[in-house]
Amino acid sequence: MVVVGAGIVGAATCYFLSKRGFRVRLIEAAAPAAAASGAADGAVSVASKRPGPMMTAALAGIALYRQLEQDGLFAGLFKSRPTVMVAENEKEAERLVEHAAALASEGMGLRYFEGGALRRHLPGVAPHVRLAVEVGEEGHAIGYEIVRRLIAASGVTVERGVAVTGLGPKDDGSGATAVRTALGVVEADHVVIAAGGGSAALLGLPHATQPRKGQLVVTERSPALAASLPGSLMSCRYLLSKDAIRVASAETGRRFGLVIDPLRTGQFLIGSTREERDDTGNDHDAVSRLLASAVKLMPALARLRVIRVFAGVRTATRDGLPIVGRMPGFENLLVATGFEGDGICLGPLIGREIARMVAGETTELDLTPFAPGRFELRSLVA
Ligand SMILES: Cc1cc2nc3c(=O)[nH]c(=O)nc-3n(C[C@H](O)[C@H](O)[C@H](O)COP(=O)(O)OP(=O)(O)OC[C@H]3O[C@@H](n4cnc5c(N)ncnc54)[C@H](O)[C@@H]3O)c2cc1C
């Protein structure tokens, strides 16, 4: 077995395959969690999803985090907490009511807060906030900690700094696929491409994915302030930034969501932008706008110092759904990429499902909507 990419999806695939007794080689161009999985917020959340395959997957993803925490694998790494979606104006309130109805129709347990009840539940939020809807049973995990735990538990040594440069037929004439690296050709019974933004080029799907950058801010610790929030605070602007209702600024093509996440450490993680770019730099304009909107929503944050800013690049797809499954026409070649802003939530689940496919079992999650065959393949195996 060869798994390409040691982000959360590759690490989870490696873990679940190893657990089933497969011998796995995990090949990574840089280092574990070097890309999106090491530069994410870490919401394990269904709150912002629309009913449909992504909501179904997110619910299953959260359930798996809980199970793996109880089993001990994720002990100490998964923080259970709700997401509180807040509307700061009339337009957002309308959007929130509509979104909450969709969540409720899927059986999600919600709590609504307005007026005095809102002030008592969220004492730190600004008085202009009109409506809050709390989505329970969610959580948070730091991507690189999950990656580290999965790889350690798999017992596999990551082959770091080894970029896969292409795919080609195995020498045995079986028609199966092997991977080419700078160190030579690696053959395997199965190849799983979980290379995030590097996957599409390897698979002849460059037209199917696109990079989407996000900038994030971390504050110093303030345990008392963090404890005043029951969970992460998600402005409805986040929904709008994920929506078809694009609020991109004409000059930059950026969208600004806002999530204020109180971490286990008492720090706050504040994010994030959605920018159609492929770089990991931070800029003053984005950071200051994120901070200004965070302070507007939760004024006491103004007292805290910023200790870190960073950026990561999500791998988005043209139709908003990830690409997971067997590559059409290639029995031993599978792909799992295109998780945009949901890969921390979905990574372990997808790793488990890929391991099921490799073992010839039926997946628990219906992966049909994510099938790679929905995109046209271009010159896959050279
Ligand atoms: C700012 C930001 C905020 C986010 N917030 C959240 C959130 O709150 N909740 C959530 O669920 N998700 C969130 N995400 C999304 C999440 O981080 C990603 O969806 C997830 O990490 C993708 O994991 P992956 O394993 O598919 O890819 P990656 O983590 O990108 O890993 C791919 C790996 O493959 C390697 N690679 C690439 N090409 C090759 C090659 N040719 N050969 C060998 N190796 C290769 C790379 O070096 C990399 O290590 C966020 C992302 C960003 C950027």
Side-chain angles (χ1 to χ4, degrees):
M1 285 293 325
V2 169
V3 177
V4 181
I8 194 165
V9 177
T13 304
C14 180
Y15 168 76
F16 284 105
L17 284 170
S18 302
K19 211 170 144 231
R20 286 169 171 270
F22 288 100
R23 254 192 69 245
V24 184
R25 289 181 68 172
L26 181 53
I27 300 180
E28 164 54 51
S37 301
D41 175 341
V44 178
S45 169
V46 75
S48 65
K49 312 286 182 299
R50 295 192 199 125
M54 289 303 275
M55 183 182 276
T56 307
L59 286 167
I62 297 169
L64 183 59
Y65 264 91
R66 271 188 211 295
Q67 185 199 315
L68 295 177
E69 189 206 19
Q70 278 160 18
D71 293 351
L73 179 68
F74 287 172
L77 300 189
F78 177 64
K79 178 187 173 191
S80 195
R81 52 114 178 98
T83 299
V84 188
M85 293 185 285
V86 292
E88 295 182 67
N89 55 44
E90 197 54 44
K91 184 178 164 205
E92 289 183 9
E94 277 169 26
R95 180 69 184 89
L96 180 52
V97 166
E98 181 197 340
H99 185 68
L103 289 173
S105 72
E106 294 293 309
M108 302 290 301
L110 307 178
R111 294 167 74 199
Y112 292 75
F113 298 93
E114 281 179 287
L118 194 159
R119 310 287 150 235
R120 284 190 294 281
H121 193 56
L122 300 169
V125 306
H128 70 272
V129 172
R130 312 167 72 101
L131 173 66
V133 176
E134 185 171 292
V135 185
E137 310 289 314
E138 306 217 320
H140 187 268
I142 307 278
Y144 58 82
E145 292 183 348
I146 297 290
V147 169
R148 198 184 308 145
R149 187 70 63 87
L150 286 165
I151 292 173
S154 75
V156 168
T157 302
V158 182
E159 298 176 45
R160 294 168 177 242
V162 181
V164 170
T165 52
L167 305 173
K170 273 172 87 170
D171 282 343
D172 61 8
S174 64
T177 308
V179 301
R180 283 199 300 271
T181 74
L183 305 179
V185 173
V186 181
E187 297 199 342
D189 292 341
H190 278 89
V191 174
V192 181
I193 305 293
S199 308
L202 290 175
L203 293 167
L205 290 167
H207 51 298
T209 68
Q210 64 193 69
R212 187 163 294 151
K213 173 177 165 176
Q215 302 192 44
L216 288 154
V217 177
V218 185
T219 72
E220 65 178 331
R221 292 170 191 235
S222 178
L225 190 59
S228 76
L229 281 184
S232 86
L233 214 52
M234 182 189 289
S235 161
C236 267
R237 210 170 327 143
Y238 181 82
L239 288 180
L240 295 170
S241 96
K242 282 186 106 183
D243 265 358
I245 308 162
R246 299 285 148 121
V247 288
S249 111
E251 320 86 77
T252 60
R254 303 176 150 165
R255 285 163 282 150
F256 283 80
L258 177 62
V259 177
I260 302 173
D261 219 324
L263 302 180
R264 279 194 309 265
T265 54
Q267 293 165 293
F268 288 87
L269 188 56
I270 300 169
S272 64
T273 58
R274 280 190 149 73
E275 307 170 52
E276 309 308 303
R277 303 171 54 111
D278 191 6
D279 69 81
T280 53
N282 288 100
D283 64 87
H284 183 267
D285 174 62
V287 170
S288 54
R289 282 174 67 175
L290 282 172
L291 288 173
S293 52
V295 167
K296 183 170 169 238
L297 181 57
M298 195 172 171
L301 286 174
R303 296 200 302 268
L304 303 189
R305 282 172 296 189
V306 167
I307 61 162
R308 190 180 165 220
V309 294
F310 64 97
V313 180
R314 312 168 180 93
T315 302
T317 60
R318 302 284 170 197
D319 62 3
L321 297 176
I323 305 173
V324 183
R326 257 178 230 286
M327 290 300 288
F330 299 86
E331 238 345 88
N332 74 331
L333 180 61
L334 295 100
V335 58
T337 188
F339 296 94
E340 216 267 2
D342 299 312
I344 303 302
C345 177
L346 300 183
L349 175 76
I350 296 300
R352 187 190 71 182
E353 298 300 77
I354 291 280
R356 284 203 171 115
M357 291 180 89
V358 169
E361 296 171 9
T362 309
T363 58
E364 231 170 73
L365 181 74
D366 177 13
L367 295 173
T368 322
F370 308 147
R374 69 190 195 275
F375 296 108
E376 181 202 348
L377 295 184
R378 290 185 193 160
S379 61
L380 176 54
V381 176

